Amino acid sequence: QVQLVESGGGLVQPGGSLRLSCAASGSIFSINAMGWYRQAPGKQRELVATFTSGGSTHYADSVKGRFTISRDKDKNTVYLQMNSLKPEDTAVYYCNADLTSYSGRYYRSTSWGQGTQVTVSS
C-alpha cells in the first residue's frame, strides 16, 4: 500500500549539483526515518544519508560536506542535495523509508524506491 516515488536523477558535470526527491504515499501512519542508499557497478550498496523523525541526520564519510539530506514532514518527502559531485558519485540511488502503515492493522516495514540513475561525467 505504500509507495516511494523518486525524481531528480540524471547526468551532471563534475563539480555540479543535483537534487533528488522521494515522496512516500499510501496508507502511512507514521514515518520513523527516511534515507538514501547508492550502488555503483561492481560495488556493494552503501548508505549515503539518513534523516530521522527526531531531526537527526547521518552521512557517509565519502559525502560529508558535499551532500545534504532534508525532509518535508507534511509532504512525507525527503530530499538529497548533492553538491561538488565527483565521477565516483556515479551510481543508482535508492530512497528508503522506515514507516508504519495502517490498513486495518498497523504494519511496521521498510520500503524502497525504484532507484534513479545519477551519472557524473564530462
Side-chain angles (χ1 to χ4, degrees), residues 1-97:
Q1 298 296 320
V2 177
Q3 184 179 20
L4 302 183
V5 180
E6 301 174 338
S7 62
L11 175 66
V12 66
Q13 301 294 310
S17 299
L18 199 63
R19 189 193 192 203
L20 305 182
S21 300
C22 176
S25 62
S27 302
I28 301 172
F29 178 78
S30 63
I31 298 178
N32 182 59
M34 297 185 75
W36 294 92
Y37 291 73
R38 69 184 182 186
Q39 186 168 23
K43 297 183 179 180
Q44 298 183 61
R45 185 175 299 186
E46 64 175 343
L47 175 67
V48 177
T50 59
F51 192 105
T52 70
S53 60
S56 63
T57 58
H58 301 277
Y59 297 92
D61 289 340
S62 60
V63 305
K64 286 182 178 178
R66 299 189 298 119
F67 291 10
T68 302
I69 189 171
S70 61
R71 177 184 170 185
D72 187 328
K73 185 177 180 180
D74 293 335
K75 296 182 179 180
N76 289 328
T77 300
V78 66
Y79 306 92
L80 185 66
Q81 179 66 46
M82 303 184 292
N83 299 325
S84 302
L85 283 163
K86 306 174 181 179
E88 47 264 47
D89 293 318
T90 296
V92 177
Y93 284 70
Y94 297 91
C95 178
N96 172 267

